[in-house]
Amino acid sequence: IRMNAQSNGAPSLPEFVPVIIIGAGPAGITAATLLAQYGIECLVLDRHETAYPLPRAVHADDEIYRILARLGVSDEFAAHARPALGLRLLDTGMRVLAEIERSPEPSAAHGFPQMNMFDQPELEAMLRANLKTYPHAELRGNVEVTGVTQTQPDRVRVSFLDRVRGGEHSVQARYVLGCDGANSAVRAGIGAHMYGLPFQQTWVVIDLDTDAEINQWEGCNQLCSPQRAATYMRVDPTRHRWEFRLLDGETAADYQNISDIEPLIAPWLGATPAEQLRLVRVTAYTFREQVANRWRDRNVFILGDAAHLAPPFVG
């Protein structure tokens, strides 16, 4: 985007941009990069100045890998990602009920491994750095979008507060893409709502780091327990992810230190002492199966989690 310099040294915003993207998560940055590759100017607005620092998603399949290659980050992703062996369903005695195999070798369909473990903050940093190489795209962080208004048949005005540079601003666009996540303001702005399919569960998600080798199968382990279902996987050489369904009356606050967590993860630890574990993050997620009743209003669209939510199981 061709911008003029303001007196304070920051680039001024144009009055018009063909496409404005709200949200700089993976969906928003992917959309911006593809548009820029086609020579279409776009402005990305996000509430964070940098990539969100805490781990969230940890798995990408070969189709997603192919998209990352299309964006131009396959080499960087390969340096950080770890191919995994598939999914095992375990009974309460940790015995294998079924196994869905995935090869660490490139797939015939897409040319990349079928199951790839990764750290989402690392991926988002790669995507943001890659976007900077395209002159047709501009990312502005630390802003709060306050309004999306369709003023003409082919014009949409986006208003936002700049929390760093100060002031309220507005830019006209021909199209707006709402990539602003599960609590999307763009979705609400077009009058869409989520309707639920019959699935909703709250799980505690635990990320631990250790130099110890816990000697588990190098894939995703799904514990099929009617008392407390669980998931375990190694994300990278030292980081491990566990997820447990919360029982009635429990919250993530019940599992904020290693001594609280150890009884849950003990079946995977073997002889590894708890003092060798470092807690990275504990949070609760409510997994839902929901779809927005409409994904578009004229020239405003919603994408990604703003449009659809799915549980991660057997994903």
Side-chain angles (χ1 to χ4, degrees):
I1 298 174
R2 292 173 295 277
M3 295 187 177
N4 298 318
Q6 293 178 327
S7 59
N8 62 4
S12 62
L13 287 167
E15 295 181 0
F16 172 81
V17 181
V19 182
I20 293 177
I21 298 168
I22 300 173
I29 295 293
T30 295
T33 307
L34 292 173
L35 286 167
Q37 287 178 346
Y38 283 107
I40 299 173
E41 293 185 344
C42 58
L43 171 66
V44 186
L45 302 175
D46 193 70
R47 59 183 176 171
H48 299 293
E49 185 66 32
T50 59
Y52 187 72
L54 297 177
R56 290 178 288 175
V58 294
H59 168 261
D61 65 11
D62 50 337
E63 283 190 274
I64 296 298
Y65 208 142
R66 187 179 67 171
I67 293 171
L68 295 176
R70 174 71 172 82
L71 300 180
V73 298
S74 60
D75 289 343
E76 293 92 335
F77 184 70
H80 289 85
R82 189 184 65 83
L85 301 180
L87 171 72
R88 281 180 175 176
L89 305 180
L90 309 176
D91 68 10
T92 54
M94 304 297 284
R95 295 168 297 194
V96 177
L97 296 170
E99 182 175 327
I100 301 172
E101 295 183 359
R102 291 291 182 262
S103 172
E105 299 301 317
S107 69
H110 301 293
F112 298 99
Q114 294 175 298
M115 184 177 185
N116 305 277
M117 312 308 296
F118 70 96
D119 180 69
Q120 184 166 341
E122 287 182 347
L123 174 61
E124 290 195 19
M126 291 177 211
L127 293 174
R128 283 173 175 246
N130 184 61
L131 185 67
K132 290 180 180 178
T133 66
Y134 293 95
H136 290 90
E138 176 75 12
L139 170 59
R140 178 144 317 185
N142 240 321
V143 301
E144 179 185 351
V145 174
T146 56
V148 177
T149 307
Q150 306 208 47
T151 57
Q152 301 175 35
D154 63 346
R155 287 293 183 272
V156 186
R157 185 177 67 249
V158 176
S159 304
F160 62 92
L161 295 172
D162 192 318
R163 294 196 293 262
V164 171
R165 303 160 191 89
E168 186 166 3
H169 307 268
S170 66
V171 180
Q172 295 273 349
R174 184 165 187 183
Y175 296 100
V176 169
L177 308 183
C179 304
D180 50 342
N183 299 313
S184 171
V186 178
R187 182 180 66 233
I190 65 172
H193 66 271
M194 289 291 209
Y195 65 91
L197 301 176
F199 183 94
Q200 181 170 316
Q201 293 179 0
T202 301
W203 285 52
V204 62
V205 179
I206 302 166
D207 286 281
L208 296 175
D209 191 83
T210 181
D211 291 324
E213 180 53 66
I214 65 174
N215 295 312
Q216 292 295 323
W217 182 69
E218 294 292 337
C220 178
N221 299 263
Q222 187 79 41
L223 180 63
C224 303
S225 168
Q227 287 75 41
R228 189 197 293 272
T231 303
Y232 161 77
M233 67 206 81
R234 183 203 292 263
V235 179
D236 62 29
T238 64
R239 190 159 67 83
H240 303 258
R241 162 74 59 90
W242 280 270
E243 303 175 2
F244 297 91
R245 185 176 181 180
L246 287 173
L247 306 181
D248 291 343
E250 289 184 326
T251 70
D254 298 319
Y255 298 102
Q256 291 299 314
N257 56 67
I258 295 295
S259 61
D260 296 330
I261 294 166
E262 187 179 8
L264 296 181
I265 66 176
W268 288 273
L269 290 182
T272 303
E275 54 266 25
Q276 292 190 27
L277 307 175
R278 184 178 66 85
L279 190 58
V280 177
R281 185 196 189 200
V282 177
T283 191
Y285 279 106
T286 299
F287 297 130
R288 296 182 174 91
E289 189 87 52
Q290 292 184 321
V291 180
N293 67 324
R294 57 193 300 213
W295 294 16
R296 175 185 185 182
D297 176 18
R298 291 165 288 172
N299 285 25
V300 178
F301 297 78
I302 54 174
L303 291 75
D305 283 359
H308 47 80
L309 298 170
F313 309 113
V314 201

